[in-house]
Amino acid sequence: MSSTDDPRDALPQYVLPLVVRLERDAPPARTDALEAAARAVLVMLSDDRSHGEGEWAEAMGAWQDARIRKVVRRARGAEWRRAAALPGLTVTAGTAEVRVFPPVPLDGWPKELAKLQVSGTELTDPADPPARAPEQALLWLSPELSMSTGKEMAQVGHGAQLLWYALPEPDRKAWREAGFPLTVHTASAEDWSGLTTSGLPLVRDAGFTEIAPGSCTVVADHPAARRV
């Protein structure tokens, strides 16, 4: 089925907004921002307000029924304070703060978020990320693609979401209760091919920005996922 024939395209399109705090004199480390973004998506998916009769449930359902889009913007100072005042959830990871908001229509962003910059978010790491701890999920980024940090944040968020869907309910519950331990690494060129054919949750980008449609961007690994 081509993208133009996808029945999801006939549905109202929503986007999940994420905003990373990017103060001029204290930018977060790249891996911290990636981990915070992935965890923010999981926190939103699992929040009681996103289900049943919850206040965010209708928007969450509409977002998940159509194409699942995420957009990462950046804010500092007063911009961040205005964004933080809107309904949503703030997640921290090391030096990073990311706020996630209930899905909004593709062309219906709140003015406090619509004015924030979306392109050109580039962060670096002061050192290589630590090795994966046994309890952590691991989101593997493609070594073959060049993406902005903002794009990478959206991709690892999607990988975390696919992993959430793939896990049995008892493992979801345990992961949530543990605070969604996870880390993000870039795969080696030697390992990437095997990861993309492993049967683990795999993100293929829709190609709306930066990279070609169908590009494999993230593989999500969790001990429980290998048992499914």
Side-chain angles (χ1 to χ4, degrees), residues 30-31 34-35 38 129-133 136-145 147 151-163 175 181-205 211 215-223 225-226:
R30 169 180 170 269
T31 297
L34 297 178
E35 292 178 359
R132 174 193 195 176
Q136 289 179 313
L138 178 52
L139 302 172
W140 290 108
L141 273 166
S142 168
E144 300 174 349
L145 300 170
M147 296 181 280
K151 179 73 171 180
E152 289 178 331
M153 290 171 67
Q155 296 301 300
V156 297
H158 200 95
Q161 184 169 357
L162 295 183
L163 184 55
W175 196 24
L182 59 84
T183 190
V184 180
H185 290 182
T186 298
S188 68
E190 295 76 17
D191 291 342
W192 183 242
S193 178
L195 285 167
T196 60
T197 57
S198 64
L200 292 168
L202 170 66
V203 179
R204 292 184 182 273
D205 191 62
I211 57 177
S215 298
C216 297
T217 60
V218 174
V219 173
D221 192 4
H222 186 286
R226 293 181 177 271

Side-chain angles (χ1 to χ4, degrees), residues 7-218:
R8 294 175 298 173
D9 291 335
L11 299 171
Q13 300 296 305
Y14 281 72
V15 62
L16 187 77
L18 297 108
V19 175
V20 57
R21 185 175 187 179
L22 195 60
E23 300 294 344
R24 195 187 305 276
D25 58 348
R30 169 180 170 269
T31 297
D32 288 349
L34 297 178
E35 292 178 359
R39 198 171 292 122
V41 172
L42 293 164
V43 167
M44 176 59 73
L45 284 167
S46 61
D47 193 278
D48 290 343
R49 288 166 288 186
S50 296
H51 304 280
E53 300 299 319
E55 61 189 282
W56 300 337
E58 183 176 354
M60 287 292 289
W63 171 62
Q64 292 174 89
D65 287 344
R67 288 188 179 272
I68 300 176
R69 304 189 190 202
K70 302 173 182 70
V71 171
V72 177
R73 297 176 183 254
R74 62 184 185 272
R76 65 173 181 262
E79 295 174 331
W80 173 259
R81 291 190 292 274
R82 286 192 292 268
L86 297 176
L89 299 160
T90 297
V91 173
T92 61
T95 58
E97 285 183 82
V98 171
R99 189 161 179 84
V100 60
F101 304 87
V104 297
L106 198 58
D107 58 356
W109 285 66
K111 65 181 187 300
E112 295 89 347
L113 304 183
K115 64 179 65 174
L116 300 177
Q117 291 293 315
V118 63
S119 62
T121 300
E122 297 287 359
L123 300 172
T124 59
D125 278 320
D128 290 338
R132 174 193 195 176
E135 72 277 8
Q136 289 179 313
L138 178 52
L139 302 172
W140 290 108
L141 273 166
S142 168
E144 300 174 349
L145 300 170
S146 178
M147 296 181 280
S148 67
T149 307
K151 179 73 171 180
E152 289 178 331
M153 290 171 67
Q155 296 301 300
V156 297
H158 200 95
Q161 184 169 357
L162 295 183
L163 184 55
W164 175 255
Y165 292 160
L167 291 178
E169 183 57 34
D171 294 301
R172 284 189 192 180
K173 183 174 184 290
W175 196 24
R176 178 186 182 184
E177 289 177 348
F180 296 117
L182 59 84
T183 190
V184 180
H185 290 182
T186 298
S188 68
E190 295 76 17
D191 291 342
W192 183 242
S193 178
L195 285 167
T196 60
T197 57
S198 64
L200 292 168
L202 170 66
V203 179
R204 292 184 182 273
D205 191 62
F208 294 119
T209 61
E210 296 194 24
I211 57 177
S215 298
C216 297
T217 60
V218 174

